[in-house]
Amino acid sequence: MDPGTNRLAGIIAQVALLLSSSCGTTGEDVCDSALVSSLPPSAFRSSSQLSSSHGPGFAKLNRREGAGGWSPLTSDRYQWLEVDLGERTKITAVATQGRYGSSDWLTSYLLMFSDTGHNWKQYRQEDSIGSFPGNSNADSVVQYKLQQPAVARFLRLIPLGWNPNGRIGLRLETYGCPHTSDVMSFDGSSSSLVYQSSAGSRRTSREVISLTFKTLRNSGTLLHAEGQKGLRLSLELDRGKLLLLLTRGRTWSPEAQRLASLGSLLDDQHWHQVAVERRGAHLNLTVDKHTERVQIPAEFNHWDMEKLTAGAVHTQKLVGTQRNFHGCLENLLFNGVNLIELAKHNDHRVTAMGNVTFSCAEPVSAAVTFPGLQSFLQLPGATASTSGGVSVGFQFRTWNKAGLLLTFDLPQQAGVVWMYLSEARLRLQIHKGGRVMLELSTGSNLSDGQWHAVELNSRRGRLTIAVDKEEGGVAHGSPSFPVAVGSQLFFGGCPPEEDGQECKNPFDIFQGCMRLLIVENQPVNLIMVQQRLLGNYSQLQIDMCGIIDRCSPSRCEHGGSCSQSWTIFHCNCTGSGYSGATCHSSVYQQSCEAYKHNGNTSGQFYIDVDGSGPIKPQLVYCNMTAENTWMVIQHNNTELTRVRPSPGGDATPVQFDYLTEEEQLLAVISQSEHCEQELSYQCRKSRLLNTPEGSPFSWWLGGPGPGHLQTYWGGAHPGSQQCACGLQGDCVDPQHYCNCDADRVEWTEDSGLLTHKESLPVRSLLLGDIQRPGSEAAYRVGPLRCHGDKSFWNAAFFDKETSYLHFPTFHGELSADVSFLFKTTASSGVFLENLGIKDFIRIELSSSTQVVFSFDVGNGPLEVGVESSVPLNDNRWHRVRAERNVKEASLRLDELPAATQEAPADGHFHLQLNSQLFIGGTASRQKGFRGCIRSLQLNGVTLDLEERAKITPGVQPGCPGHCSSYGSLCQNRGRCVERENGFDCDCSLSAYTGVFCHTEVSASFSSETSVSYTFKEPYELSRNSSALPSSIFSDTTLRGENVSLSFRTNQSPTLLLYVSSYYREYLALLINKHDELEVRYKLDSSREAEVLRSRVRSLANGQLHTVSIRRLADSVSVQVDQNAREDFNLTSDRDFGGIKSLVMGRVHDSDDLDPDLAQLASLGFTGCLSLVHFNSLTPLKAALFHRDAGPVVITGPLVQSNCGSPASANHYASENTHTLSDQSGSVGSGQPLVNAIRTDSALIGGVIAVVIFVIVAGLAVTARFLYRRKETYRNQEVKGVKQEDSQDLPFNNQTDSQNASGENPKEYFI
């Protein structure tokens, strides 16, 4: 080759080299170069080697030199292989291989990293998994890419498992790239680095400060940034946590506002990455992999940093150096500029002060970890020359409140000394002859994860224990016997008893770390211990501290407090409103609608609109009416308020502050089917909207945030600039669109409901025309009222096993909860399934009585199942709630006890899914679900099943038929009526009223009160229900009666109830002068009345009593309260014919009465009557609620009240506050508390009355005639006869029936 060719080849090679190096520097993602294969044998170390040909230097991937890899002398978990990469390097992957041509390979291992060859740090996946999968044979290569790259010089691999038919054998390779590093060391005294921002530098919307640090001290200021107006931000270590602090003022003040706290155990002498990023009005603080977003105070909106200080803060007001950082910083960058590099080059913008070095001093301090049950460290005791006393010192850190720290025997079997933790205090006991001779304690809160220094000294008859001596944790004792160390000391625990050691441990084991061990003023060399050259040990991790803070970041959600031990963490959810292992699931329902369908009545409830989502629970009033379930949200002024002119202004602003937070308010409006808010303006010479120039005098703001300008009034349409009268065309002045715009001197009003959800709630009013002489006005903005839960009734019906709905992938990596209701007639089927590469989540009906929740997050499939004692394929709604978090999985079915499955303590916990979410089926279209699924929510988000079902074949939107599940909520003969979304209780057959026919209907009577229900000519009822009869008859003939009522009175004698007929016959219930109940029947006008007396006395004692009377022909039964039933026979077997009227209270028409009864009837009744039934009639209910719509005549005062019957004992308690409760089984139960707050009860009552009146007026029932011939029977004497209740009575009291028949001709309704 000629010289020209050589020269050309050299140029091409140089260009190629330049291109390759350029690509390597710019491509940040390319970091996968082999790091081990080129290292010399001296870079390898190991715990031992089987032979020289099995040495660590042969442990290179795919090499066959020597014996084909490294094998230790013995195969156990104390072996290790170490590689020195020569300098700190970025490591991204590790590959392993067994020893060539052998049966020796690893099946699992641990990875450790270090900068110095000491103070190792275990690499963990997902912050939890410590072990890595190994090989299954000697030749295949298993490579694992690190989730987070590690930067270190030394790598150590510790075998955990190996081929059981071989031994440990290893070849390995690591991959990565060089790590660029500029380091500076600070001495904690006066050393610092100061960066001064140039005057002309431009402020940007995004500023970033990043650095890496390491330290052994748990406190100190890392960075301090100063700006205008004395505002300062600082990053400060405090007890191993990093705080972001804000201080105000020109002088230094120890008072600082904490903006964020992140990280933990940052004083472990390992590198930690920190970044502070300002984006607009937010700061993002990142420590290692975790980020916290912080809202910047308003004064920082125009704040420019003038000076940035790292290390010592030089402030005149600062005394001492305890706040100064002692440690190393690496790659301190401000907006991409490396400040340490500038300091190295003496850039004028950066000043290094004090004892600063551009390297990192690494103190060598070996620690030891006690991880488990059999961990202990045994060291030799004092020699004869040093005996006669004790001097032991060490430092420890732990999360456990109890555990043995140190024990040793006294010489000549004189006793034993135990130093241990109990209730996070340091205690010392000396036992001698089985008795406690000395006991000392000191310190507190020693289980906080911080390092604590312990000293034990005994000299000249005085014994002292100290923990953190500088903080005063010292205790003294004066034993009457010498205290010295025997032949050996045991730290952390004792060997197994079979080892023959004298060591006894009656306390808990110690789990934690120790360092700086000193015995008789001599430091203990733990490396010699590791090499078996000193003492003895078992199951220790030497030269590292393996403590983990499981509460940083906290896995407890929604404000739950986190506590921990060495192996687990616990969440305290008290007061949070959430429950579960991580406080993930809300204990409250998501709407008033849901509370109603749990059987709750009106009252105050906590509503959690997004379930397990971020929005907090809110207290609202739920008004359970027959038509709708209203959620009422109050604000600071719902009363009619007189307008006061604002001084010096043309308009008066009025602000409304709601009792719920913004996000809660908007979520309620969005979730509800309908919302409304009353807006009323009463005026006198005060105009409202319409002005000559077109701009309104007054307006209001409504909608999200501060609200949007609205120029229409209640009852009109958005943007119309009208009031309700303008829309209806009935304003007092036809030339205007509001009554108030007529500008009249008489009072008038514009009011109506705002129903446009996008404009709600009303945030503020601005009232303008109130400054003129004679102008007067008042306004009222009612509470926000919403009804209907779009989520609760969102349902889909799956009519084939192959049909399903699909949605985007469910993301519930750390916490996932799924809740829904289902009903089916099938015995099995999959409700939900979502798959990943290996992970999955599935909920299915596995049999007619079992629901199973199964999943896999990388630890293998797990199942949680709940077995029901009743069939689940009964076509009734059943509720399923499944949750999976980092601690456990749980499954709840209806109100059965939850089933749980604990997660592995050190297992995978990220749920990684990537397929579509299948509802009602699976990806394979097998084992599909046939039936209805409703209210499906994943992590608090409702899936819109109905919308998706509309476009999916084989799936129908909606699912009717709710009475089978909720009909039992209708009480006291109430009848369940189906609605498209829900159900109603028809109380027309019941003497009760209310949303569930549960509210007692009762009234207070005075002596002048008379309530008469008259059976007149046929009249049409204002009802139109298929369950009601078609008519009521004037000439009614009864074969029997069923009468019941409750009363409370102090009057005797008195008449309770009187029923008369056109044939001068009657039935009377009265209390005689002996306080006994009398039932008088006169079924033959030609004969005297027959008197039936009950043996129960003291009925006029002011207490509540209940009476039930049943007659069939001549047989009569009477029951008072819970007393035994009394049976009678009448002397005539006749019908009660031609019923004329039923009277409660004073009887004005007493011509047909016997003289003594007429005198009693004229006295009236004073007391309380309730729950009056006459066959199917409820006359008292008709008098109170339908007095204008039926044959009811009332004279005198009749006041609705509460007699206090057992059935209505919870009437007032139904309006109450349902508060935070984390008790087991109370999820969503809404159990009431007392002291209810009624809201707008008058308005609500009026609305109910109007609605009922309209319903009654709109229904029609035709009357038909029934006449049954009266027969004459032979006279018989009255005698008591025991007779069973006849099942043939056409008027039987079907109190348990949910669907009372309306076809029976002997049932009578109001």
Side-chain angles (χ1 to χ4, degrees):
M1 184 179 293
D2 57 38
T5 304
N6 288 333
R7 190 162 50 251
L8 179 60
I11 293 173
I12 292 174
Q14 291 179 11
V15 171
L17 180 61
L18 287 173
L19 288 174
S20 63
S21 63
S22 174
C23 292
T25 57
T26 59
E28 295 183 1
D29 294 334
V30 180
C31 186
D32 56 3
S33 301
L35 303 176
V36 172
S37 58
S38 60
L39 294 177
S42 59
F44 296 83
R45 294 177 61 234
S46 65
S47 54
S48 64
Q49 59 188 44
L50 185 61
S51 68
S52 59
S53 61
H54 292 79
F58 299 112
K60 295 182 179 181
L61 201 71
N62 293 321
R63 297 288 184 89
R64 302 182 181 181
E65 292 88 354
W70 167 70
S71 286
L73 182 61
T74 58
S75 292
D76 57 36
R77 291 191 173 189
Y78 297 107
Q79 308 303 320
W80 47 264
L81 175 70
E82 182 182 309
V83 180
D84 181 1
L85 300 176
E87 60 182 356
R88 293 186 68 217
T89 306
K90 184 177 182 180
I91 304 169
T92 59
V94 177
T96 60
Q97 194 178 27
R99 191 167 62 83
Y100 175 73
S102 71
S103 299
D104 304 338
W105 62 81
L106 301 182
T107 56
S108 62
Y109 59 92
L110 297 179
L111 270 182
M112 305 283 186
F113 295 105
S114 171
D115 283 350
T116 62
H118 295 286
N119 188 30
W120 294 90
K121 183 174 185 178
Q122 181 180 346
Y123 184 89
R124 291 180 176 270
Q125 315 166 55
E126 297 180 353
D127 292 335
S128 178
I129 305 298
S131 63
F132 287 80
N135 302 89
S136 57
N137 55 56
D139 297 320
S140 61
V141 176
V142 175
Q143 179 174 327
Y144 188 87
K145 185 176 182 180
L146 304 185
Q147 294 176 347
Q148 292 289 328
V151 177
R153 175 180 171 179
F154 294 90
L155 175 146
R156 180 176 284 187
L157 189 148
I158 300 177
L160 290 180
W162 48 91
N163 179 20
N165 298 319
R167 56 190 311 124
I168 294 175
L170 176 64
R171 291 175 285 173
L172 86 161
E173 180 61 88
T174 62
Y175 302 91
C177 56
H179 174 68
T180 303
S181 177
D182 289 295
V183 179
M184 178 175 281
S185 181
F186 298 85
D187 63 2
S189 177
S190 60
S191 56
S192 64
L193 181 70
V194 180
Y195 169 75
Q196 198 78 36
S197 178
S198 58
S201 60
R202 295 180 56 187
R203 181 180 184 272
T204 62
S205 61
R206 179 178 181 270
E207 294 180 329
V208 181
I209 301 173
S210 63
L211 60 95
T212 308
F213 78 92
K214 70 185 324 185
T215 182
L216 278 172
R217 292 191 182 178
N218 66 359
S219 299
T221 300
L222 278 175
L223 291 178
H224 185 73
E226 300 181 33
Q228 306 99 327
K229 302 179 182 180
L231 295 176
R232 298 188 293 271
L233 286 173
S234 59
L235 281 176
E236 183 172 326
L237 273 175
D238 180 43
R239 296 177 62 81
K241 297 179 180 291
L242 192 62
L243 310 182
L244 178 61
L245 303 176
L246 164 66
T247 53
R248 298 174 172 88
R250 292 291 179 183
T251 59
W252 182 270
S253 171
E255 298 297 328
Q257 177 185 352
R258 177 185 295 187
L259 300 180
S261 173
L262 207 56
S264 180
L265 308 175
L266 301 178
D267 56 340
D268 57 359
Q269 195 60 16
H270 293 291
W271 290 106
H272 297 280
Q273 297 176 340
V274 179
V276 181
E277 178 186 19
R278 181 168 74 167
R279 282 183 174 269
H282 292 87
L283 280 177
N284 292 330
L285 173 64
T286 301
V287 177
D288 295 329
K289 298 178 292 183
H290 307 293
T291 300
E292 185 170 339
R293 183 179 174 89
V294 182
Q295 179 76 36
I296 303 177
E299 57 261 50
F300 273 89
N301 291 341
H302 303 286
W303 183 77
D304 290 327
M305 190 190 72
E306 297 175 344
K307 185 170 70 173
L308 178 66
T309 304
V313 180
H314 298 277
T315 305
Q316 294 180 354
K317 299 290 183 179
L318 184 63
V319 180
T321 60
Q322 68 275 11
R323 297 178 60 90
N324 295 338
F325 175 69
H326 185 273
C328 302
L329 295 185
E330 177 188 57
N331 295 342
L332 174 58
L333 305 180
F334 175 63
N335 290 340
V337 178
N338 192 327
L339 302 187
I340 297 178
E341 186 180 14
L342 294 182
K344 286 181 177 179
H345 295 88
N346 297 317
D347 190 282
H348 70 279
R349 292 170 291 177
V350 179
T351 304
M353 305 174 65
N355 184 21
V356 173
T357 59
F358 295 103
S359 62
C360 186
E362 295 278 1
V364 177
S365 174
V368 58
T369 304
F370 297 78
L373 293 174
Q374 299 179 357
S375 301
F376 72 90
L377 170 62
Q378 177 184 342
L379 294 176
T383 62
S385 60
T386 60
S387 61
V390 177
S391 177
V392 178
F394 59 91
Q395 293 184 4
F396 75 91
R397 72 190 316 174
T398 184
W399 299 116
N400 291 357
K401 294 184 177 182
L404 179 67
L405 295 172
L406 170 67
T407 180
F408 56 87
D409 290 338
L410 299 177
Q412 288 85 43
Q413 298 182 346
V416 60
V417 176
W418 285 303
M419 180 185 288
Y420 60 99
L421 290 176
S422 176
E423 298 178 347
R425 289 176 56 85
L426 182 67
R427 301 181 186 273
L428 182 134
Q429 281 188 10
I430 300 180
H431 279 232
K432 197 172 183 180
R435 294 189 302 125
V436 178
M437 306 300 295
L438 179 67
E439 188 167 11
L440 300 175
S441 66
T442 186
S444 62
N445 194 30
L446 300 180
S447 59
D448 57 358
Q450 304 295 313
W451 285 109
H452 297 283
V454 176
E455 295 180 10
L456 169 63
N457 290 289
S458 177
R459 292 288 187 273
R460 302 182 181 89
R462 184 175 177 82
L463 187 144
T464 302
I465 61 170
V467 57
D468 303 329
K469 185 186 295 185
E470 64 277 6
E471 299 179 9
V474 181
H476 303 281
S478 300
S480 58
F481 49 88
V483 177
V485 178
S487 59
Q488 52 200 5
L489 302 95
F490 293 91
F491 290 86
C494 291
E497 295 185 2
E498 55 266 21
D499 286 2
Q501 301 286 349
E502 296 294 331
C503 179
K504 303 289 184 184
N505 180 15
F507 308 102
D508 294 329
I509 62 166
F510 173 71
Q511 291 176 297
C513 300
M514 291 188 185
R515 69 180 184 186
L516 302 179
L517 278 71
I518 299 175
V519 177
E520 298 301 335
N521 299 318
Q522 296 296 318
V524 177
N525 189 333
L526 291 176
I527 303 302
M528 293 182 62
V529 173
Q530 185 182 35
Q531 297 171 349
R532 303 287 183 179
L533 301 177
L534 176 66
N536 189 21
Y537 69 91
S538 174
Q539 295 193 12
L540 298 183
Q541 296 172 341
I542 298 178
D543 207 4
M544 65 170 291
C545 178
I547 191 171
I548 300 173
D549 191 341
R550 302 178 189 273
C551 290
S552 179
S554 176
R555 304 297 183 189
C556 303
E557 304 177 47
H558 301 109
S561 60
C562 182
S563 59
Q564 62 185 313
S565 66
W566 184 260
T567 54
I568 62 172
F569 72 92
H570 172 74
C571 294
N572 184 354
C573 308
T574 303
S576 68
Y578 296 84
S579 65
T582 59
C583 311
H584 177 76
S585 298
S586 179
V587 302
Y588 303 117
Q589 301 292 340
Q590 292 188 247
S591 66
C592 292
E593 189 88 9
Y595 275 114
K596 173 186 174 181
H597 288 79
N598 275 356
N600 296 101
T601 55
S602 299
Q604 287 189 314
F605 294 84
Y606 276 95
I607 299 294
D608 197 332
V609 290
D610 68 339
S612 59
I615 300 178
K616 298 178 181 178
Q618 56 184 316
L619 185 64
V620 303
Y621 183 82
C622 294
N623 185 24
M624 319 290 192
T625 68
E627 292 297 315
N628 293 304
T629 302
W630 292 94
M631 186 185 304
V632 184
I633 300 177
Q634 299 287 343
H635 56 75
N636 58 329
N637 183 15
T638 58
E639 302 299 325
L640 184 65
T641 305
R642 188 77 172 265
V643 181
R644 304 292 180 185
S646 57
D650 296 331
T652 298
V654 182
Q655 192 77 27
F656 301 101
D657 299 321
Y658 290 83
L659 304 183
T660 57
E661 297 180 4
E662 174 73 8
E663 57 182 357
Q664 298 169 338
L665 202 57
L666 298 181
V668 165
I669 295 173
S670 174
Q671 182 174 297
S672 301
E673 293 179 354
H674 170 83
C675 290
E676 63 184 37
Q677 197 165 10
E678 181 194 4
L679 181 57
S680 175
Y681 191 67
Q682 298 184 15
C683 55
R684 180 174 176 271
K685 287 189 66 63
S686 178
R687 294 160 295 180
L688 188 56
L689 294 180
N690 304 122
T691 61
E693 67 275 9
S695 59
F697 286 107
S698 303
W699 60 86
W700 54 278
L701 298 178
H708 304 291
L709 180 66
Q710 309 292 338
T711 58
Y712 72 100
W713 212 249
H717 296 310
S720 64
Q721 201 165 321
Q722 294 183 12
C723 300
C725 70
L727 187 67
Q728 299 164 3
D730 58 357
C731 293
V732 295
D733 187 343
Q735 297 181 0
H736 296 280
Y737 298 106
C738 293
N739 290 322
C740 290
D741 290 336
D743 202 21
R744 297 192 176 187
V745 294
E746 299 87 5
W747 280 98
T748 186
E749 179 180 4
D750 286 300
S751 63
L753 294 175
L754 303 171
T755 59
H756 190 60
K757 286 172 54 174
E758 287 73 12
S759 302
L760 296 177
V762 177
R763 303 286 184 174
S764 60
L765 293 177
L766 196 136
L767 306 174
D769 190 24
I770 55 174
Q771 306 292 341
R772 296 181 297 152
S775 293
E776 296 182 81
Y779 66 87
R780 181 179 187 271
V781 175
L784 178 68
R785 303 172 71 243
C786 297
H787 73 74
D789 183 351
K790 293 189 292 186
S791 301
F792 191 73
W793 296 111
N794 192 295
F797 172 65
F798 302 82
D799 57 4
K800 300 178 181 177
E801 287 189 1
T802 57
S803 59
Y804 62 85
L805 297 177
H806 60 84
F807 291 87
T809 304
F810 176 40
H811 296 288
E813 284 79 6
L814 296 178
S815 293
D817 75 276
V818 181
S819 66
F820 59 90
L821 294 101
F822 77 90
K823 66 176 184 175
T824 184
T825 57
S827 60
S828 64
V830 175
F831 299 120
L832 173 149
E833 182 182 84
N834 207 163
L835 305 177
I837 297 175
K838 293 183 178 179
D839 296 0
F840 73 88
I841 183 172
R842 182 185 301 114
I843 304 175
E844 62 183 309
L845 181 68
S846 62
S847 71
S848 61
T849 58
Q850 186 180 49
V851 174
V852 173
F853 172 36
S854 55
F855 60 93
D856 188 353
V857 295
N859 305 311
L862 293 175
E863 274 191 2
V864 187
V866 175
E867 187 81 24
S868 171
S869 59
V870 297
L872 301 174
N873 55 347
D874 55 358
N875 206 29
R876 294 176 178 238
W877 288 114
H878 298 279
R879 188 179 183 188
V880 175
R881 287 163 287 178
E883 179 185 347
R884 180 258 151 198
N885 52 59
V886 297
K887 278 187 68 71
E888 68 178 22
S890 64
L891 178 66
R892 291 179 65 95
L893 174 62
D894 295 330
E895 298 306 318
L896 296 173
T900 59
Q901 172 76 54
E902 288 191 11
D906 290 318
H908 296 276
F909 52 74
H910 279 86
L911 177 64
Q912 298 175 344
L913 307 174
N914 55 21
S915 75
Q916 288 182 320
L917 170 66
F918 290 86
I919 305 298
T922 64
S924 61
R925 296 197 174 191
Q926 296 178 352
K927 299 175 64 177
F929 171 73
R930 287 188 296 109
C932 291
I933 295 178
R934 196 186 97 213
S935 188
L936 174 60
Q937 296 178 335
L938 282 72
N939 278 349
V941 178
T942 300
L943 298 189
D944 196 340
L945 301 178
E946 292 187 355
E947 284 300 316
R948 190 60 61 95
K950 291 176 182 178
I951 59 174
T952 305
V955 185
Q956 302 173 17
C959 192
H962 306 298
C963 281
S964 61
S965 300
Y966 301 116
S968 60
L969 295 177
C970 298
Q971 307 168 25
N972 303 304
R973 299 182 69 190
R975 188 176 62 88
C976 183
V977 179
E978 291 283 354
R979 292 175 57 187
E980 181 180 358
N981 286 339
F983 75 99
D984 289 329
C985 291
D986 180 359
C987 305
S988 59
L989 294 177
S990 174
Y992 293 76
T993 187
V995 63
F996 300 127
C997 309
H998 66 287
T999 303
E1000 170 194 344
V1001 177
S1002 57
S1004 295
F1005 286 68
S1006 71
S1007 60
E1008 301 298 322
T1009 305
S1010 174
V1011 177
S1012 175
Y1013 184 93
T1014 304
F1015 299 85
K1016 297 182 180 179
E1017 311 79 40
Y1019 69 97
E1020 294 187 357
L1021 291 175
S1022 46
R1023 296 185 181 271
N1024 186 20
S1025 173
S1026 61
L1028 299 180
S1030 59
S1031 62
I1032 288 182
F1033 312 100
S1034 60
D1035 190 5
T1036 304
T1037 300
L1038 298 181
R1039 183 70 173 160
E1041 301 83 43
N1042 193 347
V1043 184
S1044 64
L1045 59 83
S1046 297
F1047 68 90
R1048 185 196 297 271
T1049 186
N1050 291 307
Q1051 179 184 351
S1052 68
T1054 185
L1055 181 64
L1056 297 176
L1057 183 140
Y1058 171 69
V1059 183
S1060 64
S1061 81
Y1062 289 101
Y1063 302 107
R1064 304 177 64 84
E1065 300 171 355
Y1066 68 82
L1067 161 66
L1069 272 68
L1070 58 94
I1071 298 176
N1072 62 24
K1073 61 183 180 181
H1074 302 295
D1075 289 0
E1076 300 170 329
L1077 177 72
E1078 285 189 9
V1079 181
R1080 296 190 182 185
Y1081 268 105
K1082 188 173 185 179
L1083 300 182
D1084 186 348
S1085 59
S1086 63
R1087 301 185 58 186
E1088 294 294 324
E1090 300 186 62
V1091 179
L1092 314 179
R1093 288 191 181 89
S1094 170
R1095 293 187 294 271
V1096 180
R1097 290 178 171 272
S1098 302
L1099 297 182
N1101 59 359
Q1103 301 298 314
L1104 182 72
H1105 299 284
T1106 300
V1107 174
S1108 178
I1109 300 162
R1110 303 183 71 180
R1111 179 184 75 89
L1112 178 61
D1114 64 338
S1115 299
V1116 181
S1117 65
V1118 178
Q1119 184 171 13
V1120 180
D1121 297 331
Q1122 301 300 318
N1123 296 289
R1125 189 181 66 187
E1126 302 171 78
D1127 295 313
F1128 304 90
N1129 270 9
L1130 300 177
T1131 58
S1132 61
D1133 184 5
R1134 301 172 66 97
D1135 292 346
F1136 191 2
I1139 294 178
K1140 176 182 177 181
S1141 64
L1142 182 152
V1143 181
M1144 296 167 284
R1146 171 172 285 194
V1147 181
H1148 295 290
D1149 183 12
S1150 58
D1151 295 340
D1152 298 335
L1153 293 177
D1154 300 333
D1156 60 334
L1157 191 60
Q1159 181 180 2
L1160 187 62
S1162 65
L1163 297 177
F1165 169 75
T1166 302
C1168 185
L1169 283 179
S1170 68
L1171 306 178
V1172 180
H1173 258 295
F1174 182 81
N1175 290 345
S1176 295
L1177 286 175
T1178 54
L1180 184 60
K1181 184 177 179 182
L1184 290 172
F1185 298 113
H1186 311 290
R1187 61 178 66 188
D1188 298 326
V1192 181
V1193 178
I1194 302 173
T1195 59
L1198 181 69
V1199 181
Q1200 185 174 356
S1201 66
N1202 187 295
C1203 290
S1205 66
S1208 62
N1210 65 345
H1211 174 57
Y1212 291 112
S1214 66
E1215 304 204 5
N1216 36 55
T1217 303
H1218 304 257
T1219 61
L1220 294 167
S1221 172
D1222 299 332
Q1223 297 178 0
S1224 174
S1226 66
V1227 177
S1229 62
Q1231 293 301 314
L1233 300 182
V1234 294
N1235 299 330
I1237 301 175
R1238 298 197 179 197
T1239 307
D1240 289 347
S1241 57
L1243 175 63
I1244 295 169
V1247 172
I1248 293 174
V1250 171
V1251 171
I1252 293 176
F1253 175 78
V1254 172
I1255 293 175
V1256 171
L1259 300 173
V1261 178
T1262 359
R1264 65 182 169 135
F1265 227 80
L1266 176 67
Y1267 176 77
R1268 184 168 292 182
R1269 185 175 179 180
K1270 296 192 296 177
E1271 298 178 344
T1272 305
Y1273 294 88
R1274 191 173 43 179
N1275 293 340
Q1276 297 178 359
E1277 292 184 0
V1278 177
K1279 58 182 179 178
V1281 178
K1282 183 76 175 176
Q1283 180 176 333
E1284 297 297 326
D1285 291 338
S1286 171
Q1287 299 302 315
D1288 299 324
L1289 275 177
F1291 43 82
N1292 276 350
N1293 211 356
Q1294 300 172 0
T1295 56
D1296 296 329
S1297 172
Q1298 298 301 323
N1299 295 288
S1301 171
E1303 300 175 0
N1304 195 322
K1306 299 297 270 182
E1307 290 182 339
Y1308 304 94
F1309 300 83
I1310 298 175

